[in-house]
């Protein structure tokens, strides 16, 4: 219950019909307003800061849905989940990215062995999973930030050119010696799976939960620009490089989320497959400056520091989203907001409220 929560808890209240409720996979702030994504929806929710009702540090509620179908011409249908896994606010846009990965049907306890064997062999790709988009943020008449298809200053909601089967990113990776072979493997089988997003101007970093190759995790660096009604990949150098690869030593863990804080890049990392295991935050000092100066198409980075381990449960409480708390909400102390997928009973209050954590950082 709220009055038994610890002082670092953050309460998130959703409505009964909210697009996003419990399986939280992305978070970003616009002032006092919190944007959240879930990996089982095709849209986002915006939460308002409210007065705490118990001992929790912060409380957000009065959720408002923003269906992606209202903002973009989607590659799939409005009902297909986008499996949104990464989110970032930059230069008046909310950026989102889907996992881009295949999924494998799971076995069910009420099915016989033969039926479950067929299920376990079946792969699928929801058309909206291969989505990378920027959505304009614009205040409405009440001054509340909203996502719009086109802002009054001309900014438009745009997505990377592609369709329900592929986009410019997956096509560029199809022949890649490191990741091409994994494009046909489901994410939860150590296949291709984007789960983190960080934005620095035109530079986008995509963090991969999988594959992890001989213990090396990966970030993909791309640059995008608007051309007409779509986003296109922009060469990163004069030789026409479309994707730079950064392999990170995260002790065999895959990337779950990314977040720039000043010049440093923080990496939320956890198991790449369906495992219960360590979830940690790593720090890449000076990453922003290093990335801006780098011209190598492939780099290996071991100069990471482990910042903090995070709690996790067995099949529950998997940290999936991390972002800096605005100074006005943190009392001037550098803090992360951490949100969890599959929250356990200890992170729920009734049917529509869940709890994240505040963590201090340097």
């Amino acid at each position: 219950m709220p009055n038994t929560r610890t002082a670092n808890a953050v309460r998130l209240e959703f409505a009964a019909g909210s697009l996003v409720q419990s399986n939280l996979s992305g978070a970003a702030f616009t002032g006092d307003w919190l944007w959240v994504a879930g990996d089982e929806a095709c849209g986002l929710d915006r939460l308002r800061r409210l007065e705490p009702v118990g001992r929790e540090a912060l409380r957000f509620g009065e959720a408002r849905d923003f269906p992606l179908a209202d903002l973009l011409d989607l590659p799939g249908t409005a009902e297909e989940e986008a499996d949104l896994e990464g989110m970032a606010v930059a230069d008046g846009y909310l950026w989102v990215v889907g996992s881009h990965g295949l999924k494998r049907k799971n076995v069910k306890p009420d099915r016989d062995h033969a039926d479950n064997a067929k299920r376990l062999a079946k792969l699928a790709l929801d058309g909206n999973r291969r989505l990378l988009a920027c959505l304009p943020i614009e205040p409405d008449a009440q001054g509340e930030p909203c996502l719009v298809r086109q802002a009054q200053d001309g900014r438009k909601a745009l997505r990377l050119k592609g369709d329900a089967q592929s986009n410019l990113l997956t096509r560029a990776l199809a022949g890649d010696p490191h990741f091409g072979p994994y494009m046909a493997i489901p994410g939860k089988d150590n296949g291709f799976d984007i789960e983190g997003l960080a934005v620095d101007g035109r530079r986008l970093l995509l963090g991969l939960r999988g594959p992890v190759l001989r213990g090396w995790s990966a970030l993909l660096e791309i640059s995008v620009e608007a051309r007409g009604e779509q986003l296109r990949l922009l060469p990163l150098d004069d030789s026409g490089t479309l994707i730079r690869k950064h392999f990170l030593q995260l002790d065999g863990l895959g990337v779950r989320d990314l977040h720039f804080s000043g010049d440093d890049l923080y990496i939320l990392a956890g198991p790449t497959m369906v495992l219960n295991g360590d979830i940690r935050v790593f720090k890449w000092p000076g990453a922003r400056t290093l990335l801006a100066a780098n011209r190598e198409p492939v780099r290996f980075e071991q100069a990471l520091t482990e910042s903090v381990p995070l709690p996790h449960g067995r099949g529950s409480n998997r940290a999936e989203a991390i972002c800096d708390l605005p100074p006005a909400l943190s009392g001037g102390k550098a803090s992360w907001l951490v949100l969890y997928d599959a929250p356990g009973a200890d992170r729920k209050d009734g049917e529509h409220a869940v709890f994240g954590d505040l963590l201090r950082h340097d």
Side-chain angles (χ1 to χ4, degrees), residues 131-174:
L131 179 72
L132 172 63
C134 60
L135 310 168
I137 303 172
E138 183 173 66
D140 63 10
Q142 289 73 44
E144 300 177 359
C146 296
L147 301 178
V148 296
R149 185 176 280 261
Q150 180 165 345
Q152 294 184 16
D153 61 8
R155 289 173 296 131
K156 296 180 180 180
L158 303 168
R159 66 175 175 87
L160 190 65
K161 183 180 180 181
D163 54 33
Q165 295 300 314
S166 66
N167 62 17
L168 295 180
L169 176 64
T170 61
R171 293 168 199 165
L173 288 168

Side-chain angles (χ1 to χ4, degrees), residues 3-292:
N3 60 4
T4 64
R5 297 299 302 176
T6 60
N8 72 325
V10 179
R11 180 184 177 92
L12 277 62
E13 298 173 347
F14 297 93
S18 292
L19 283 172
V20 182
Q21 292 205 23
S22 59
N23 292 315
L24 304 178
S25 56
F29 279 97
T30 303
D32 282 357
W33 303 83
L34 173 63
W35 303 95
V36 293
D39 58 15
E40 296 180 357
C42 191
L44 308 158
D45 268 22
R46 186 203 67 194
L47 305 179
R48 177 198 295 269
R49 182 189 180 188
L50 303 173
E51 288 298 316
V53 297
R55 292 178 55 200
E56 70 264 15
L58 290 168
R59 173 188 172 212
F60 295 89
E62 297 182 10
R64 175 176 171 182
D65 292 339
F66 288 89
L68 290 178
D70 292 349
L71 302 166
L72 295 162
D73 295 326
L74 294 171
T77 68
E79 293 74 30
E80 288 181 296
E81 70 176 40
D83 196 24
L84 296 180
E85 296 287 356
M87 179 187 296
V89 170
D91 301 322
Y93 288 94
L94 180 66
W95 289 83
V96 294
V97 66
S99 68
H100 280 63
L102 297 173
K103 62 181 182 180
R104 184 185 300 278
K105 280 190 174 291
N106 203 352
V107 302
K108 289 190 174 182
D110 61 341
R111 306 292 181 90
D112 61 30
H113 297 295
D115 192 17
N116 275 329
K118 291 178 182 177
R119 289 181 60 82
L120 201 58
K122 188 171 183 179
L123 307 183
L125 172 64
D126 292 329
N128 293 329
R129 284 181 167 231
R130 293 189 166 172
L131 179 72
L132 172 63
C134 60
L135 310 168
I137 303 172
E138 183 173 66
D140 63 10
Q142 289 73 44
E144 300 177 359
C146 296
L147 301 178
V148 296
R149 185 176 280 261
Q150 180 165 345
Q152 294 184 16
D153 61 8
R155 289 173 296 131
K156 296 180 180 180
L158 303 168
R159 66 175 175 87
L160 190 65
K161 183 180 180 181
D163 54 33
Q165 295 300 314
S166 66
N167 62 17
L168 295 180
L169 176 64
T170 61
R171 293 168 199 165
L173 288 168
D176 184 85
H178 297 109
F179 303 112
Y182 289 87
M183 302 302 291
I185 300 175
K188 288 186 171 58
D189 296 349
N190 197 38
F192 189 79
D193 188 3
I194 298 173
E195 289 217 1
L197 172 65
V199 179
D200 182 19
R202 286 184 172 180
R203 179 182 298 111
L204 274 60
L205 296 179
L206 306 174
L208 302 188
R209 177 176 175 176
V212 173
L213 305 178
R214 286 301 296 262
W216 289 93
S217 306
L219 304 182
L220 303 181
E221 178 187 349
I222 62 174
S223 181
V224 297
E225 68 174 2
R227 292 186 192 170
E229 301 300 314
Q230 296 173 315
L231 294 174
R232 304 292 182 99
L233 294 180
L234 188 68
L236 292 161
D237 52 39
D238 293 339
S239 64
T241 302
L242 292 179
I243 300 173
R244 289 194 184 119
K245 296 177 283 190
H246 303 273
F247 288 100
L248 311 179
Q249 188 50 249
L250 304 179
D251 295 340
L253 300 176
V255 177
R256 294 297 186 90
D257 203 3
L258 300 172
H259 186 75
F260 275 119
S261 182
D263 207 30
D264 303 326
L265 181 68
Y266 287 93
I267 304 156
L268 179 64
T272 183
M273 300 177 73
V274 185
L275 298 170
N276 298 303
D278 286 351
I279 298 178
R280 309 182 216 166
V281 179
F282 292 83
K283 178 182 178 180
W284 183 356
R288 193 190 296 268
T289 299
L290 188 152
L291 290 166

